[in-house]
Amino acid sequence: MPRQEPKIRVTNFKEVALGYSEGQAVREASRCIQCPKPLCIEGCPVEIDIPKFIKEIRESDFSQAITTLKEKNNLPGICGRVCPQESQCEKTCILGKKWEPVAIGRLERFAADWERKDIQSPPPQSSPAGGEEKKHPQSSPLRKGSHPVDGKEEVSGGVSSKQRIAVIGSGPAGLTCAADLAKLGYAVTIFESLHLPGGVLSYGIPEFRLPKEIVKKEIASIEDLGVRIRTDVVLGKTFTIKELFSQGFAAIFVGTGAGLPMFLGIEGEWLNRVYSANEFLLRTNLMKSYLFPEYETPLNIGKTVAVIGGGNVAMDSARAALRLGATVIVFYRRTEKEMPARREEYENAMEEGIEFHFLVAPVEILGDEQKWVKGIKLIKMKLGSPDSSGRARPVPVKGSEFHLPVDTVVIAIGQRPNPLVTQSSPGLKTGRIGNIIADEETGETNVEGLFAGGDIATGAATVISAMGAGKRAARAIDKYCRKG
Ligand code: FAD
Ligand code: SF4
């Protein structure tokens, strides 16, 4: 896959991977041997007919390929970029046993990009989904006691019920559930707390991995199905589940994600220029700090940034900080082998010049008199016996503490579901980390008519697993509404 050169890409926020040309896509698609019993479909939680769309690309019928993809997946340009394909569809590709698996994700991205480019070429008469590109309606926040929707939404589609469904949260889980229900003819309204829809797709994953223009377009194509998106409304603050039911929604899907950052619990964590990765990435992506002064939301990070953690969120934070002009060091308490980050993202980060220190953990963040970060105190670790995750447990090496001067610390050690949602819904069963207990196959919770899925149910996971949960819940909601 062609990519921006490391030296160039660290100076901008443009997408790193550049995508296939038509010729490259057709060549790659020709590698697929069209297995009679394809295993790759089993590896895709949204059940795309993978051999079919690949065959269509091989035959240069790109328009049909995107139609096939969209039958099951309304976010193909997003999934083609951020799905961990190596552990999903490509993992089960038979070619992978001896050679490289077919690059299913890249082909998916190609088809989605082809459609966008094709539609964008002049004269631009229609949007990617066949309608006018439209922005989600700016909504006014819900007030207690007010009707959250006017009840007049009309949707295209066959069922006569026109029952109203509420979806809380506009991340991949909520968007997928909403799109599938709209396709079935339901009147769906998404309620989103932020001013823009998309969840982590909009505020977490940086522009250089997932351009926001693509997120905007794919969300617009879901709105074109008739889904209404209301922003700036917060479940647990401006409305409750009970209110939605009393206002006539037949069923509710909660897909509010896992946006509560975890902290280290060490001295100095509340100093100026200590950020959770969530806040850091939100300021970069959603508030566009990298476009200062065009956007008046600068991010003051100094010269050296320490990122704590070894997952994808840590890689995104480190690569964003690098592009903001800092020298970046990632500290991870295990070794390279145990890092949960995708290999590709780790290699990208290395290529770009990010420094990695393994087997170290922070014990204190050091500040100056004005309470700004001036350094970090770390301790060396060694690996002990495996913990509950099966990975070797990091054990501190006594007396091995050392200091390093840094200006900013970004903590990327995990997220959990925000308790706001569950605390405002008495009686709703929750699990150990504050997640909503929901049936894996249907999303059903212990509350009648209330379904949940994605990170709010599983804890932090992946885009495609959240989408799979949204899809399964849509099916179950349809069944539930027909029964009632
Ligand atoms: P979210 O995407 O978190 O969406 C939840 C939505 O609900 C948000 O819009 C939120 O504002 C809204 N919400 C929350 N509370 C309320 C409320 N009370 N009222 C109304 N709305 C509310 N996964 C991958 O597969 N590949 C990647 O490359 C990848 N990179 C990642 C990078 C980062 C920085 C992060 C943080 C995560 C990454 N993930 C990645 C994980 C993936 O993004 C998540 O697993 C996925 O987005 C979960 O989807 P969701 O719909 O459950 O929740
Ligand atoms: Fe593979 Fe993800 Fe596309 Fe499914 S959506 S085929 S898992 S890249």
Side-chain angles (χ1 to χ4, degrees):
M1 169 87 95
R3 291 183 309 161
Q4 276 198 76
E5 285 300 320
K7 262 194 200 149
I8 308 222
R9 69 186 193 232
V10 297
T11 62
N12 65 61
F13 269 77
K14 290 189 195 134
E15 189 169 19
V16 168
L18 300 175
Y20 283 149
S21 65
E22 290 189 7
Q24 286 170 324
V26 170
R27 262 198 308 283
E28 181 60 23
S30 305
R31 292 181 59 231
C32 174
I33 56 170
Q34 296 288 312
C35 304
K37 284 191 186 152
L39 297 174
C40 50
I41 301 179
E42 284 169 29
C44 172
V46 293
E47 306 151 13
I48 291 173
D49 190 340
I50 295 170
K52 183 168 183 284
F53 96 83
I54 290 184
K55 183 165 173 277
E56 288 153 355
I57 291 183
R58 189 177 72 197
E59 290 163 356
S60 297
D61 191 352
F62 307 135
S63 164
Q64 186 52 47
I66 189 68
T67 304
T68 302
L69 280 163
K70 282 191 166 176
E71 273 162 22
K72 297 288 178 153
N73 182 358
N74 286 287
L75 307 172
I78 293 169
C79 290
R81 286 171 166 81
V82 304
C83 262
Q85 291 102 7
E86 66 280 7
S87 52
Q88 300 281 181
C89 50
E90 292 177 15
K91 186 178 174 191
T92 46
C93 170
I94 199 93
L95 291 193
K97 293 209 186 309
K98 277 198 170 174
W99 306 281
E100 280 288 301
V102 175
I104 301 167
R106 288 173 188 175
L107 289 172
E108 185 173 359
R109 169 191 165 151
F110 164 79
D113 290 358
W114 176 86
E115 184 194 42
R116 220 175 14 261
K117 276 185 206 128
D118 191 50
I119 303 269
Q120 276 166 3
S121 56
Q125 292 188 337
S126 58
S127 79
E132 286 283 301
E133 189 208 331
K134 56 178 187 182
K135 273 182 103 182
H136 71 276
Q138 281 302 327
S139 57
S140 55
L142 284 175
R143 261 178 239 112
K144 255 197 157 181
S146 71
H147 217 287
V149 291
D150 53 21
K152 286 185 191 149
E153 307 96 85
E154 281 302 313
V155 290
S156 56
V159 299
S160 57
S161 66
K162 294 278 192 280
Q163 292 190 74
R164 291 191 295 143
I165 312 291
V167 169
I168 324 288
S170 65
L175 288 170
T176 304
C177 186
D180 280 16
L181 286 166
K183 284 179 184 168
L184 290 168
Y186 291 91
V188 187
T189 306
I190 298 182
F191 298 92
E192 165 58 48
S193 56
L194 292 174
H195 66 284
L196 274 182
V200 171
L201 307 173
S202 291
Y203 77 76
I205 305 178
E207 180 77 16
F208 53 83
R209 280 210 298 126
L210 179 61
K212 300 310 148 209
E213 204 45 41
I214 288 162
V215 177
K216 234 165 84 185
K217 288 265 161 67
E218 295 202 333
I219 292 177
S221 78
I222 291 176
E223 290 181 290
D224 286 341
L225 296 171
V227 172
R228 187 172 174 196
I229 303 179
R230 299 199 56 177
T231 51
D232 304 311
V233 285
V234 188
L235 173 61
K237 285 280 180 204
T238 60
F239 68 101
T240 63
I241 297 281
K242 205 170 152 206
E243 281 170 357
L244 288 183
F245 276 131
S246 68
Q247 286 158 0
F249 285 96
I252 299 172
F253 175 78
V254 180
T256 46
L260 184 75
M262 287 161 73
F263 286 93
L264 294 155
I266 60 174
E267 197 72 26
E269 215 165 6
W270 306 110
L271 289 165
N272 294 319
R273 284 209 199 120
V274 178
Y275 295 97
S276 69
N278 277 41
E279 183 187 346
F280 182 75
L281 289 169
L282 193 135
R283 282 172 179 265
T284 313
N285 295 323
L286 208 60
M287 295 165 72
K288 306 244 181 275
S289 62
Y290 66 95
L291 293 180
F292 177 78
E294 190 188 327
Y295 282 72
E296 290 172 338
T297 43
L299 195 50
N300 176 2
I301 56 172
K303 285 192 179 135
T304 310
V305 173
V307 175
I308 315 298
N312 290 318
V313 181
M315 297 306 107
D316 281 345
S317 305
R319 295 175 71 200
L322 191 76
R323 283 160 174 78
L324 289 170
T327 299
V328 184
I329 313 169
V330 174
F331 296 100
Y332 179 53
R333 61 190 184 145
R334 294 183 167 95
T335 72
E336 185 189 29
K337 202 169 123 237
E338 289 83 23
M339 268 176 85
R342 283 179 82 183
R343 192 77 208 169
E344 187 183 335
E345 297 312 327
Y346 169 52
E347 283 168 5
N348 275 329
M350 296 256 286
E351 258 180 27
E352 290 169 7
I354 288 165
E355 238 181 85
F356 284 81
H357 290 202
F358 295 105
L359 288 171
V360 281
V363 285
E364 187 181 344
I365 301 170
L366 311 164
D368 63 18
E369 300 81 49
Q370 275 79 44
K371 308 278 180 224
W372 291 90
V373 171
K374 69 168 189 187
I376 187 162
K377 184 173 169 189
L378 300 129
I379 187 163
K380 292 188 179 161
M381 311 292 274
K382 61 181 182 193
L383 291 183
S385 50
D387 64 12
S388 57
S389 72
R391 291 178 302 171
R393 188 190 303 272
V395 183
V397 178
K398 255 195 182 156
S400 66
E401 290 91 344
F402 61 103
H403 301 87
L404 284 177
V406 298
D407 303 304
T408 292
V409 177
V410 180
I411 299 164
I413 57 164
Q415 300 96 234
R416 287 189 169 179
N418 194 316
L420 191 61
V421 171
T422 47
Q423 278 168 6
S424 70
S425 314
L428 180 60
K429 267 198 186 153
T430 54
R432 194 179 52 84
I433 56 165
N435 52 310
I436 297 179
I437 307 262
D439 185 281
E440 214 179 294
E441 262 316 298
T442 62
E444 277 171 299
T445 68
N446 66 315
V447 175
E448 162 101 29
L450 185 67
F451 299 75
D455 284 4
I456 183 71
T458 56
T462 63
V463 169
I464 195 63
S465 58
M467 289 176 67
K471 188 171 266 302
R472 293 191 297 276
R475 233 176 253 152
I477 289 172
D478 179 43
K479 206 165 153 198
Y480 171 80
C481 289
R482 284 178 192 277
K483 205 171 61 186

